Amino acid sequence: MDLLYNSTRGGDQDVTASRAILAGLASDGGLYMPDHIPALDLSFDQIRDLAYADLAYEILRRFFTDFTEEELKSCIRKAYDAKFDTPVIAPLVKQDDAYYLELFHGPTIAFKDMALQVLPHLLATAAKKQQAEEKIVILTATSGDTGKAAMEGFADVPGTEIIVFYPKDGVSPVQERQMVTQTGANTHVAAIRGNFDDAQSAVKKLFRDEALISEMKEAGLIFSSANSINIGRLVPQIVYYVYAYAQMMQSGAIEAGEEINVAVPTGNFGNILAAYFAKQMGLPVAKLICASNQNRVLTDFFEGGTYDKNRPFYLSSSPSMDILISSNLERLLYLAADLDTELVASLMRDLQTKGRYEMPASMREKLSDFLGMCADEDAVSSEICRLYQASGYVIDPHTAVASAVLGRYKEETGDQTKTVIASTASPYKFARAVLHAIDAVQFDAHDDYTQFADLAAVSSVPWPKAVKKLAEAEVRHDLLIDPEMMRDTVRRILKLA
Ligand SMILES: *Cc1c(COP(=O)(O)O)cnc(C)c1O
């Protein structure tokens, strides 16, 4: 049966997967959602034995029904290959009573690679299927990891240009270095004076800028999005939750059919939403623990049913989660509202105009599988240190947010359900914060590159190749602009001005 996509705000209806992937955002500003969530009608025995690529095919084909088998398999083959440093792709590591799902073995050593290695191929295939003559322009706001992972995925992919905006003071030195040294003739990067939400809001506005869009059309250009609002990113993220479950069956950690919990360090709400999709497909997941850092807008949302972005914005040691507007939450609202697009549209209008909205009680009941908890900077730092001392295993600050939250959750509830923690970045990506947590006196004075060696010396986690090359890489991008200049910058890069 064909699966079609609808906007969460009631505009575009019955859109094919390839059109939804190509468009990114729906034309009314809503997000594309499948008209139903397909069942994962495979036996536990089958799931247990599938390789990552084969499982990816089983998930993707249920959502992207207008792609042929050959098209999907070709996209998957190009994505999950030797660019990952392990053939397992997403290994599950048990440490001190939790199961860390390592999603950082791709080329940019963070979990965005899991989807952004495959998205460019899905997008190029979708363009071919839709007979789009235009060149695809990817426009992305990033809080650090998305932009780099997107550029790495799109670099020199024919028929594409990619433009990335990041908050100048909102990313780690290594993240910034990764971005400004990006190669590829079609990659463009600009830092903005502002935070991630400034960048994201401006990008969203550009996507709906009629004048700009028609100017581009004349020049043979069309926008698309690599942000986690693209359904072509969300679906590939479902795969690793099912894969984690398969690995737990394989190791005997769980019986087939036994329920697990997941704990996900959350920012834009894409990763944890993928876990919820996995549950809706039939994966035995009990609780979804939504872990936030000091920017606890989601914690308050799940506790009290009100989303309120009118609050101070903190820069934390987990910058990819320093977010006040979690875009993908709109998809969960749509499900919780029983697909009532009017209701979703009105909540989103409230968010736009008042910066807050309140959920009706009927919606709150639908969200009882979710639990929002947060960890402040001290808790994150203590958790990195605690786990290191207990096991020698080193985690990055994003993962530590979830790990700290899980510890507190277990203490408070006594829930003994085995729990998968989405481990979203390599500790090398945030070496300074990690080493500071382990031993500030010894390491704080060392420069960024010495710290990689420090981390390699104290931990059993090997030094990733991607980081080794960074020190000598050439800086190719040095643009710094105000958010108001983003439109002009885009026009200049695209040679419209
Ligand atoms: C993007 C990111 C997150 C947050 O994921 P969302 O899907 O935006 O919730 C967490 N950790 C790291 C390292 C990330 O790059």
Side-chain angles (χ1 to χ4, degrees), residues 116 137-155 161-168 171 175-176 178-180 182-183 186-192 196 199-200 203 206-207 223-227 233 477-481 485-486 489-490 492-494:
L116 280 168
V137 178
I138 301 295
L139 195 58
T140 292
T142 185
S143 53
D145 289 330
T146 306
K148 175 63 187 179
M151 286 192 289
E152 197 63 44
F154 280 99
E161 292 286 333
I162 172 158
I163 306 173
V164 172
F165 295 102
Y166 70 92
K168 176 68 187 162
V171 302
Q175 286 179 316
E176 178 160 46
Q178 282 185 316
M179 282 191 279
V180 299
Q182 177 66 46
T183 58
N186 63 339
T187 63
H188 313 273
V189 185
I192 66 153
F196 170 71
Q200 168 123 308
V203 162
L206 289 178
F207 275 122
F223 270 142
S224 191
S225 160
N227 265 22
R233 260 187 73 183
H477 311 270
D478 60 0
L479 211 53
L480 173 63
I481 59 167
M485 291 300 293
M486 285 170 63
T489 303
V490 167
R492 201 176 41 69
I493 288 169
L494 298 177

Side-chain angles (χ1 to χ4, degrees), residues 68-134:
T68 67
E69 175 173 353
E70 185 38 43
E71 283 168 344
L72 285 180
K73 286 190 169 166
S74 157
C75 291
I76 290 166
R77 215 169 26 238
K78 289 178 199 153
Y80 305 109
D81 61 7
K83 291 191 293 294
F84 284 77
D85 68 11
T86 161
V88 184
I89 307 295
L92 188 73
V93 176
K94 180 170 191 253
Q95 293 290 350
D96 195 41
D97 234 27
Y99 295 80
Y100 293 85
L101 178 61
E102 294 187 350
L103 302 174
F104 53 75
H105 290 274
T108 73
I109 61 172
F111 102 96
K112 304 292 194 291
D113 288 330
M114 301 304 297
L116 280 168
Q117 280 298 309
V118 74
L119 179 72
H121 303 296
L122 292 171
L123 203 52
T125 309
K128 224 175 279 164
K129 297 178 79 63
Q130 293 294 325
Q131 288 155 352
E133 307 277 324
E134 293 96 345

Side-chain angles (χ1 to χ4, degrees), residues 36 79 184 195 448:
H36 67 280
N195 63 36
D448 287 346

Side-chain angles (χ1 to χ4, degrees), residues 442-461:
Q442 194 182 343
F443 301 118
D444 272 8
H446 292 178
D447 68 48
D448 287 346
Y449 297 96
T450 309
Q451 288 199 332
F452 294 144
D454 291 341
L455 197 51
V458 301
S459 77
S460 54
V461 186

